[in-house]
Amino acid sequence: MSRTEFGSVVVIDDDKAYLHTVALMLRAIGFDKISTYENGYDAIESIEDTKPDLVISDWDMPILTGIDVLMCMRDDPDLCTVPFILNTGHLGQERWKEAIKCGVTEFLFKPFSFQDFKSSVLLALDLAEAESDLEEMDEKLAS
């Protein structure tokens, strides 16, 4: 995916104002296919159906938390490589360890600036692209 072409993104947070703000930031970066959800349960069904290019989720939400969504995605062979940004206002080391263990791509700590947000999004996409390139190289070497 080139930096002039951004794919689809799913944003999950139980705060409507946050969803609106993040959607505006994503549009400013260049995304135009943005789906927002107020809980992980509704989002995971959409994620399974559409396989977005990026998921951004709050950690603390009702029904399914952000970490629950992340674990569901990492357990699904079709979704396990989708970049996942987890955001939270909690900076505890235990949460970091849990998220890393579950396969998070990038963290975003609330509150954040537009520049912090943009950097996290671009880094998550670059990491996913690099991983994809490595997988292609491995396949070529194996054949």
Side-chain angles (χ1 to χ4, degrees), residues 9-133:
V9 61
V10 169
V11 183
I12 314 164
D13 199 295
D14 55 334
D15 181 337
K16 288 181 185 182
Y18 172 86
L19 288 174
H20 178 73
T21 301
V22 168
L24 289 173
M25 288 188 209
L26 288 165
R27 283 188 185 84
I29 293 170
F31 284 91
D32 61 354
K33 296 177 219 150
I34 304 162
S35 301
T36 60
Y37 298 91
E38 293 180 33
N39 67 70
Y41 182 80
D42 292 339
I44 197 69
E45 188 172 310
S46 170
I47 292 166
E48 290 170 346
D49 290 343
T50 64
K51 191 180 178 194
D53 296 297
L54 176 65
V55 174
I56 302 170
S57 179
D58 185 32
W59 188 306
D60 295 313
M61 295 180 296
I63 305 174
L64 275 183
T65 66
I67 202 76
D68 293 332
V69 173
L70 174 61
M71 289 189 302
C72 288
M73 289 177 61
R74 294 303 181 243
D75 287 342
D76 185 326
D78 294 329
L79 300 172
C80 65
T81 60
V82 173
F84 195 102
I85 298 174
L86 192 60
N87 59 67
T88 182
H90 303 283
L91 301 176
Q93 193 173 28
E94 289 305 312
R95 281 196 169 204
W96 281 50
K97 288 178 183 178
E98 182 180 0
I100 290 168
K101 181 180 172 186
C102 292
V104 73
T105 309
E106 180 67 16
F107 288 101
L108 188 60
F109 297 100
K110 294 178 180 178
F112 50 82
S113 68
F114 174 72
Q115 195 55 47
D116 291 339
F117 179 78
K118 183 177 179 181
S119 295
S120 289
V121 167
L122 296 178
L123 179 61
L125 293 172
D126 284 343
L127 289 172
E129 192 171 311
E131 187 172 313
S132 177
D133 291 346

